[in-house]
Structure formats: C-alpha cells, structure tokens
Amino acid sequence: MATWKNLDTLASYSKLAELKGHVNIADAMAGEKGAERVKKYSTPMAAGLTYNYAAKQVDETVLDALAKLADETELIDKFQELYNGAVINTGEKRMVLHHLARTQLGEDVVVDGVNKRDFYVEQQKKAADFANKVHAGEITNENGEKFTTVVQIGIGGSDLGPRALYIALENWAKANNTSKMEAKFISNVDPDDAAAVLASVDLAHALFIVAHSIFVLVSKSGTTLETLTNESFVKDALKNAGLDASKHMIAVTSETSPLAKSDSYLTAIFMDDYIGGRYSSVSGVGGAILSLAFGPEVFAQILDGAAAEDKLATNKNILENPDMLDALIGVYERNVQGYPATAV
C-alpha cells in the first residue's frame, strides 16, 4: 500500500527545491533553440492531441528531478489504488470513482453489492434513451410539441463542467450537424440570472434539468439551497405561463434523494457520492444535458476520449504520461517557483 508523506519531508523534493529559477525561459525559447525546444518538449495525448510544455521553465535536469519525485511519492501506485477503489478522499471517507464513468482501468469496484462501473453505464444509457425519445418527439410538452431548448439548473462543479463542454463544442456541433437542442444554464441564486435565461427561451418548448446534488460538496457550495431556490423560481415561471412543470423537468440526483421517486419530474437520472462536482461532466449530470444538446453519440465520444487519456495516465514514464507530467510541473511552478496562478 502506498504511503502518504508531506512534500517537505522527501529527499527528491529537497533536490527539486534547489532548482528554483534553473531555466531562463526567454533565453531557452529564443531563435532556433526555441524551435527545437517546441519539437522536443512534446508528448502525445489521446484523440490526436499533444501536450507541449516547451514554454515551461523546465529542462532535462528539472524533468529528472520531477521523475524522482514521482517515484518517491509513489504517484502511479496511488493512482492504481484510486482506480481500484481505495478510499482516497480521506476527509469525507469516500472513494474517488469518476474514471469508472469513462472506463474500467483495474479491478471491479463493488459497493453494497453494486458494481459501480455497471451503475454508471446504466445511468448513461438511461440519459441516452431519454434524449433519443426527446429528439424523436416521443417525449413532448403537454401540447405534443417537441422540446427545442434544455436548461440546466445547478451550481458549482455540476454547472461548470457541463457548461464548459457545451461552450467548447457548440460551434463544432452546429458545423457538423450534431446540434440537437440549444442549452442554457442557471447557476446563480441571484434571480436576475434565472430571469435572464427564462426571458431568452420559449417556455412552452423548454425542458429543464434539475441537476440536484444534495450530497456532493454541499458544505462548500450550499448546492441544495441555491438549486432549490432556482428550481422554485423556474416552476413559478412555468406555472405563470400556464404550463405543467412536471412535464418540463427531469432530475439528476441520488437514488436516496426525495427527488428520486417524485412525480414532479419526467424521469430521474442517478449519481452517487463517488463522483465529485468538478468531475460531474462525465457523470449523469453531463450525460443528461450533453446528450440532449448534442446527442448521446457525441457524449459517448467524449467519454471514449477521456477513457483513452485515463489509460495514458497509468504510464510510469512521466515523459509519456502527459497528465502526470503536467501535474508535476504544476507542483514545481507553485511550490518551488512560487507562481500564484496558472493560465489555461
């Protein structure tokens, strides 16, 4: 079993700390040296992408120190423990299983008799089936008209992840004829946010998703209160428009939530304690809105690409593991170089 120690107790970290300011990046990137550096400091990612770190203040000496740090901290061993179901989130005594929404890298992870990979795939299929029925006009509003807009009501990570993916893919989807429904997001408890979204949609043709996570990061984000407040605001707007809110809403929630069996929603797609808000773009939260917006096939492609990247993250060679390399460079930049922020 991997052991956990503070960085400042590690010999490899002490060596790394001696390399502050080791590389003059302006000089390293100048002229032909820079061109060669761009070619050299690059490693393949999944789906044909490339991680290029030529502009980072590293060289072979720093990279060697980072590799030694990875070895001493047992990074790959800890990642293996994570994807095999160890309780990595010790603060909340929870496993961390977002990778299982994308692929299975190791052993079966079974909780209370439930295989978690099977559970996540089942919820993805449920979201896909619902989206297909909406797109085909099998699920309509009370007047038998097709839905044209999907609005997610959520907050924190449950909003940011799916919203970022929607914004990133919106123009691509339109250009490739995979845009099924326009998506909008309500995430701010300030009523102006919800009012602005509602003013921009045709309520009779809108489908509202209540991304309701009463347990994920609730102590940090106050998710329950803010999401319920916005849900109430939306329900009032639907009622005032003469519409039945239960014909316009689905819930993304836990199986034990009061929303799970409520007849106030067209259906409920389930999530659990083991995928935190920041990773919810690959859980039922992202599965619901992105399948409705772009189609289940596009969401499946997102999962496949993430799964391919997950497999790269198991490589012990940091120069062939872009995820671990970027994380290690981040430690060097923050803890050794003292940079206060990272630009993405």
Side-chain angles (χ1 to χ4, degrees):
M1 188 176 198
T3 57
W4 298 80
K5 298 178 181 178
N6 289 339
L7 278 177
D8 57 9
T9 68
L10 304 176
S12 57
Y13 180 73
S14 297
K15 291 291 185 183
L16 182 66
E18 295 173 1
L19 298 175
K20 182 174 182 178
H22 177 72
V23 175
N24 182 325
I25 196 62
D27 179 66
M29 290 294 290
E32 292 185 6
K33 288 187 302 182
E36 287 301 315
R37 184 178 172 89
V38 169
K39 292 178 183 178
K40 181 178 180 181
Y41 287 170
S42 183
T43 187
M45 298 177 67
L49 298 175
T50 299
Y51 173 60
N52 189 283
Y53 52 101
K56 301 291 188 178
Q57 285 183 269
V58 300
D59 63 3
E60 282 73 11
T61 301
V62 175
L63 292 171
D64 182 64
L66 291 175
K68 287 182 170 63
L69 180 64
D71 288 341
E72 188 175 2
T73 54
E74 303 173 284
L75 281 187
I76 291 297
D77 295 326
K78 288 170 181 173
F79 186 43
Q80 289 174 343
E81 288 185 3
L82 180 151
Y83 63 68
N84 284 322
V87 178
I88 297 296
N89 179 353
T90 55
E92 295 175 301
K93 296 181 173 60
R94 291 176 181 168
M95 295 176 289
V96 179
L97 301 181
H98 53 86
H99 56 90
L100 278 178
R102 306 185 289 260
T103 189
Q104 183 163 333
L105 294 170
E107 303 164 4
D108 285 345
V109 178
V110 178
V111 181
D112 297 329
V114 177
N115 182 296
K116 299 310 293 183
R117 170 62 180 164
D118 292 345
F119 170 78
Y120 297 138
V121 171
E122 179 186 356
Q123 299 313 307
Q124 290 165 9
K125 185 178 185 302
K126 191 174 185 180
D129 289 345
F130 181 82
N132 283 332
K133 288 178 180 178
V134 169
H135 298 154
E138 296 175 33
I139 295 176
T140 64
N141 67 9
E142 51 268 74
N143 297 321
E145 300 166 324
K146 291 181 71 172
F147 292 110
T148 58
T149 305
V150 54
V151 180
Q152 177 174 287
I153 306 169
I155 200 162
S158 294
D159 166 72
L160 293 172
R163 185 196 291 255
L165 281 174
Y166 177 76
I167 292 171
L169 295 174
E170 182 181 10
N171 288 333
W172 171 87
K174 290 176 180 177
N176 288 274
N177 201 32
T178 61
S179 181
K180 306 292 185 181
M181 301 171 71
E182 183 180 14
K184 295 180 180 292
F185 300 83
I186 296 174
S187 62
N188 194 327
V189 76
D190 184 335
D192 283 348
D193 181 42
V197 172
L198 295 181
S200 70
V201 302
D202 176 358
L203 288 179
H205 295 80
L207 178 65
F208 288 84
I209 295 178
V210 182
H212 202 88
S213 178
I214 62 172
F215 49 84
V216 177
L217 304 176
V218 65
S219 63
K220 292 184 179 180
S221 66
T223 301
T224 304
L225 175 62
E226 285 129 333
T227 301
L228 283 175
T229 300
N230 279 326
E231 180 194 16
S232 178
F233 188 91
V234 167
K235 282 185 172 180
D236 286 344
L238 289 167
K239 181 180 178 180
N240 292 337
L243 299 169
D244 181 354
S246 69
K247 303 295 185 185
H248 288 259
M249 287 187 159
I250 73 171
V252 181
T253 187
S254 73
E255 291 180 286
T256 57
S257 161
L259 306 182
K261 302 294 188 292
S262 173
D263 58 6
S264 297
Y265 308 96
L266 289 164
T267 192
I269 296 164
F270 298 131
M271 56 201 298
D272 64 16
D273 280 343
Y274 308 116
I275 300 181
R278 72 191 68 181
Y279 301 108
S280 61
S281 53
V282 297
S283 76
V285 179
I289 190 163
L290 296 173
S291 293
L292 285 164
F294 301 133
E297 298 81 5
V298 171
F299 184 63
Q301 287 180 295
I302 293 171
L303 295 178
D304 288 345
E309 192 63 33
D310 286 337
K311 291 176 182 176
L312 289 179
T314 64
N315 194 322
K316 288 190 175 184
N317 183 347
I318 70 168
L319 299 182
E320 297 175 359
N321 185 332
D323 309 283
M324 185 164 67
L325 178 57
D326 184 62
L328 287 166
I329 290 174
V331 170
Y332 176 64
E333 290 180 334
R334 178 67 189 94
N335 293 55
V336 177
Q337 298 288 76
Y339 298 155
T342 296
V344 178

